[in-house]
Amino acid sequence: MIKQKGILFDSTLCAGCGECYNACKKQNKLPDTNTDYLRDRLSSETYTVVEDYSGVYTRKMCMHCQHPTCVSVCPVGAFEKTALGPVLYDADKCLGCRYCMQACPHHIPRYEWTSNNPRVKKCIMCYDKISKGEGTACSEVCPTGATLFGDRDELLKEAKKRIAENPGSYYPEIFGDDEVGGSNVMILASEPFEKLGFAKNLPKEPLPQYTARALDKIPAVVGVGGAFLTGMFWLTKRKNQIAKEKKSGKE
Ligand code: SF4
Ligand code: SF4
Ligand code: SF4
């Protein structure tokens, strides 16, 4: 049986050095987008960022959800959840409809706004490397061990152990353990995750069935009204958020 891989990012160990940011750029042959990496934002040319919250550093990247909404809403099957864990996409199939951007609960996929043939881009958990038994580029360079790559179940055990052994150092939850059904990227931090810019109040259940119904506009409201409304709520909220960011010039 294939063991799912994952990444554990422990914000309490992160020095904010930006080595992961640089390694990701190099691995994916992405251009330099900012002279100050701490001010860069996720974009079609930046798949991970390091953010500074008053001296507490955190990373943002695709969470590689266990039940990804990007997969379920894409009308042409450009996204795929692999057995190894990463969520991949086929840029050649992408229509540029941006349903995935609207549906992603973690606000991850980015659009090539300036391209004549715009497509959506995001982290692919270094799939080529990990398929060969290597680690991700970002975990291999991390000098403090804040970004760890390994088997998802082992990383989850490690995260629980850290919280149990040092309860004073950690907020007592693992972001990505069960948010929207869990993800292959998991986060530890010393404070509530929303204070570090992560989505708050995410349901513990997977979202794909909700968004798929909402997108298809299937009036299967009888008996599943709550699910339908949850899907509509997510899509509307994401649509407004994207419109606001586009207006403010942020990708
Ligand atoms: S974080 Fe968003 S883009 Fe990444 S797998 Fe989940 S739904 Fe898809
Ligand atoms: S896993 Fe690979 S693609 Fe994703 S952020 Fe790390 S280096 Fe970039
Ligand atoms: S390489 Fe490690 S310590 Fe440096 S910013 Fe990235 S996660 Fe933090």
Side-chain angles (χ1 to χ4, degrees):
M1 197 180 82
I2 298 175
K3 278 206 155 199
Q4 284 216 0
K5 299 296 178 188
I7 289 175
L8 173 63
F9 171 71
D10 186 338
S11 158
T12 70
L13 299 178
C14 180
C17 65
E19 290 297 318
C20 50
Y21 169 92
N22 292 327
C24 181
K25 289 271 186 189
K26 194 170 168 198
Q27 174 67 26
N28 294 291
K29 300 184 177 57
L30 299 169
D32 284 341
T33 42
N34 203 312
T35 47
D36 179 0
Y37 63 89
L38 287 171
R39 297 176 74 86
D40 205 358
R41 292 289 173 263
L42 289 181
S43 74
S44 59
E45 296 175 335
T46 300
Y47 298 169
T48 186
V49 288
V50 181
E51 295 172 339
D52 179 359
Y53 288 84
S54 306
V56 177
Y57 299 103
T58 193
R59 291 187 62 194
K60 298 282 163 55
M61 58 195 286
C62 173
M63 296 294 288
H64 297 279
C65 304
Q66 303 252 283
H67 305 274
T69 43
C70 54
V71 173
S72 65
V73 300
C74 181
V76 291
F79 281 80
E80 175 199 358
K81 176 72 177 172
T82 61
L84 210 49
V87 174
L88 306 183
Y89 57 90
D90 182 343
D92 291 335
K93 281 190 189 169
C94 178
L95 282 178
C97 67
R98 290 176 280 155
Y99 281 178
C100 55
M101 289 175 68
Q102 294 182 25
C104 174
H106 298 292
H107 182 199
I108 296 300
R110 291 298 194 273
Y111 198 54
E112 296 174 312
W113 294 108
T114 52
S115 165
N116 290 331
N117 180 24
R119 292 170 302 190
V120 159
K121 295 291 185 76
K122 70 169 195 70
C123 154
I124 52 166
M125 210 197 273
C126 293
Y127 188 70
D128 287 352
K129 273 171 73 54
I130 72 170
S131 305
K132 290 188 282 190
E134 299 170 16
T136 63
C138 54
S139 62
E140 284 176 344
V141 296
C142 180
T144 65
T147 297
L148 276 187
F149 172 78
D151 293 340
R152 184 185 188 269
D153 52 359
E154 292 300 322
L155 293 175
L156 192 54
K157 267 191 229 160
E158 173 64 23
K160 287 178 181 169
K161 189 166 149 248
R162 289 184 192 183
I163 294 175
E165 288 178 353
N166 291 293
S169 302
Y170 291 101
Y171 181 68
E173 283 179 23
I174 303 159
F175 189 80
D177 179 4
D178 55 6
E179 278 74 16
V180 293
S183 53
N184 288 60
V185 173
M186 293 164 287
I187 317 280
L188 285 175
S190 58
E191 49 197 295
F193 299 102
E194 61 265 28
K195 289 194 174 172
L196 303 180
F198 290 95
K200 64 177 177 182
N201 300 329
L202 288 176
K204 303 297 181 193
E205 303 79 34
L207 284 173
Q209 66 271 33
Y210 300 160
T211 45
R213 273 189 202 122
L215 277 170
D216 289 346
K217 296 188 171 44
I218 297 170
V221 193
V222 181
V224 289
F228 182 81
L229 289 172
T230 306
M232 290 309 286
F233 168 76
W234 273 105
L235 289 173
T236 307
K237 197 171 143 208
R238 289 291 302 124
K239 204 172 155 189
N240 291 340
Q241 203 171 3
I242 289 166
K244 213 175 355 169
E245 283 169 11
K246 199 181 168 193
K247 204 172 161 193
S248 69
K250 204 167 92 180
E251 210 173 339

Coordinates of all heavy atoms in Angstrom, one line a residue, residues 9-11 13-21 37-38 49-51 57-59 138-139 141-148, ligand 3:
F9 N 4.9 21.7 9.0 CA 5.5 23.0 9.2 C 5.3 23.4 10.7 O 4.1 23.6 11.1 CB 5.0 24.1 8.3 CG 5.5 25.4 8.6 CD1 6.9 25.7 8.4 CD2 4.7 26.4 9.2 CE1 7.4 27.0 8.8 CE2 5.2 27.6 9.6 CZ 6.5 27.9 9.4
D10 N 6.4 23.6 11.4 CA 6.3 24.0 12.8 C 6.8 25.4 12.9 O 8.0 25.7 12.9 CB 7.2 23.1 13.7 CG 7.0 23.3 15.2 OD1 6.6 24.4 15.6 OD2 7.3 22.4 16.0
S11 N 5.8 26.3 13.1 CA 6.1 27.7 13.1 C 7.0 28.1 14.3 O 7.7 29.1 14.2 CB 4.7 28.5 13.1 OG 4.9 29.8 13.7
L13 N 9.5 26.8 15.2 CA 11.0 26.5 14.9 C 11.4 27.4 13.7 O 12.6 27.4 13.4 CB 11.2 25.0 14.5 CG 10.8 24.0 15.6 CD1 11.0 22.6 15.0 CD2 11.7 24.2 16.8
C14 N 10.5 28.1 13.1 CA 10.9 28.8 11.9 C 11.7 30.1 12.2 O 11.2 30.9 13.0 CB 9.6 29.1 11.1 SG 10.0 30.0 9.6
A15 N 12.8 30.2 11.5 CA 13.7 31.4 11.7 C 13.3 32.5 10.8 O 13.9 33.6 10.8 CB 15.1 31.0 11.6
G16 N 12.4 32.3 9.8 CA 12.1 33.3 8.8 C 13.2 33.6 7.8 O 13.3 34.6 7.3
C17 N 14.1 32.6 7.6 CA 15.3 32.8 6.8 C 15.0 32.9 5.3 O 15.8 33.4 4.5 CB 16.3 31.7 7.1 SG 15.8 30.1 6.5
G18 N 13.9 32.3 4.9 CA 13.5 32.3 3.5 C 14.2 31.3 2.6 O 14.0 31.3 1.3
E19 N 14.9 30.4 3.2 CA 15.6 29.3 2.4 C 14.5 28.5 1.6 O 14.8 28.1 0.5 CB 16.4 28.4 3.2 CG 17.7 29.1 3.8 CD 18.7 29.6 2.7 OE1 18.9 28.8 1.8 OE2 19.2 30.7 2.8
C20 N 13.4 28.2 2.2 CA 12.4 27.4 1.6 C 11.8 28.2 0.4 O 11.5 27.6 -0.7 CB 11.3 27.1 2.6 SG 10.7 28.5 3.5
Y21 N 11.6 29.5 0.6 CA 11.1 30.3 -0.5 C 12.0 30.3 -1.7 O 11.6 30.1 -2.9 CB 10.9 31.7 0.0 CG 10.7 32.8 -0.9 CD1 9.4 33.2 -1.3 CD2 11.8 33.5 -1.5 CE1 9.2 34.3 -2.2 CE2 11.5 34.6 -2.4 CZ 10.2 34.9 -2.7 OH 10.0 36.0 -3.6
Y37 N 11.9 38.9 0.4 CA 11.0 37.7 0.4 C 9.8 37.7 1.4 O 8.8 37.2 1.2 CB 11.8 36.4 0.5 CG 12.5 36.3 1.8 CD1 11.9 35.7 2.9 CD2 13.8 36.8 2.0 CE1 12.5 35.6 4.1 CE2 14.4 36.7 3.3 CZ 13.8 36.1 4.3 OH 14.4 36.0 5.5
L38 N 10.1 38.4 2.5 CA 9.0 38.5 3.5 C 7.8 39.3 3.1 O 6.8 39.3 3.7 CB 9.6 39.0 4.9 CG 10.5 38.1 5.6 CD1 11.2 38.8 6.8 CD2 9.7 36.8 6.1
V49 N 5.2 31.2 0.4 CA 5.8 32.5 1.0 C 6.1 32.2 2.5 O 5.5 31.3 3.1 CB 4.8 33.6 0.9 CG1 4.7 34.1 -0.5 CG2 3.4 33.3 1.4
V50 N 6.9 33.1 3.0 CA 7.2 33.1 4.5 C 6.7 34.5 4.9 O 7.0 35.5 4.3 CB 8.7 33.1 4.7 CG1 9.0 33.1 6.2 CG2 9.3 31.8 4.1
E51 N 5.8 34.4 6.0 CA 5.2 35.7 6.4 C 5.6 36.0 7.9 O 5.8 35.0 8.7 CB 3.7 35.6 6.4 CG 3.2 35.4 4.9 CD 1.7 35.1 4.9 OE1 1.1 34.6 5.9 OE2 1.1 35.4 3.8
Y57 N 7.0 33.6 12.5 CA 7.1 33.4 11.1 C 6.2 32.2 10.7 O 6.2 31.2 11.5 CB 8.5 33.1 10.6 CG 9.4 34.3 10.9 CD1 10.3 34.3 12.0 CD2 9.4 35.4 10.1 CE1 11.1 35.4 12.2 CE2 10.2 36.5 10.3 CZ 11.1 36.5 11.4 OH 11.8 37.6 11.6
T58 N 5.6 32.3 9.6 CA 4.8 31.1 9.1 C 4.9 31.0 7.6 O 5.3 32.0 6.9 CB 3.3 31.2 9.6 OG1 2.7 30.0 9.3 CG2 2.5 32.3 8.8
R59 N 4.6 29.8 7.1 CA 4.7 29.6 5.7 C 3.2 29.5 5.1 O 2.4 29.0 5.9 CB 5.4 28.3 5.3 CG 6.9 28.4 5.6 CD 7.5 27.1 5.1 NE 7.4 27.0 3.6 CZ 7.6 25.9 2.9 NH1 8.0 24.8 3.5 NH2 7.4 25.9 1.6
C138 N 11.8 22.5 -0.4 CA 11.7 23.4 0.7 C 12.1 22.7 2.1 O 12.7 23.3 2.9 CB 10.3 24.0 0.8 SG 9.0 22.8 0.8
S139 N 11.8 21.4 2.2 CA 12.2 20.7 3.5 C 13.6 20.4 3.5 O 14.3 20.4 4.5 CB 11.3 19.5 3.6 OG 11.6 18.6 2.6
V141 N 16.1 22.1 2.4 CA 17.0 23.2 2.7 C 16.8 23.8 4.1 O 17.6 24.6 4.6 CB 17.0 24.4 1.7 CG1 17.4 23.9 0.3 CG2 15.6 24.9 1.6
C142 N 15.7 23.5 4.7 CA 15.3 24.2 6.0 C 16.4 23.9 7.1 O 16.6 22.8 7.5 CB 13.9 23.8 6.5 SG 13.4 24.6 8.0
P143 N 17.0 25.0 7.5 CA 18.1 24.8 8.5 C 17.7 24.5 9.9 O 18.5 24.0 10.7 CB 18.9 26.1 8.4 CG 17.9 27.1 8.0 CD 16.9 26.4 7.2
T144 N 16.4 24.7 10.2 CA 16.0 24.5 11.6 C 15.1 23.3 11.8 O 14.7 23.0 12.9 CB 15.2 25.8 12.1 OG1 14.0 25.9 11.3 CG2 16.0 27.1 11.9
G145 N 14.7 22.7 10.7 CA 13.8 21.6 10.9 C 12.3 22.0 11.0 O 11.4 21.2 11.3
A146 N 12.1 23.3 10.7 CA 10.7 23.8 10.8 C 9.8 23.2 9.7 O 8.6 23.0 9.9 CB 10.7 25.3 10.7
T147 N 10.4 22.9 8.6 CA 9.7 22.3 7.5 C 10.2 20.8 7.4 O 11.3 20.6 7.0 CB 9.9 23.0 6.2 OG1 9.3 24.3 6.3 CG2 9.1 22.3 5.0
L148 N 9.3 19.9 7.7 CA 9.7 18.5 7.7 C 8.9 17.7 6.6 O 7.7 18.0 6.5 CB 9.4 17.8 9.0 CG 10.4 17.9 10.2 CD1 9.8 17.0 11.3 CD2 11.8 17.5 9.8
Ligands
SF4_3 S1 13.7 27.4 5.5 FE1 12.8 26.7 7.4 S2 13.4 28.2 9.0 FE2 13.8 29.2 7.0 S3 11.9 30.3 6.5 FE3 11.6 28.3 5.6 S4 10.6 27.1 7.2 FE4 11.4 28.9 8.2

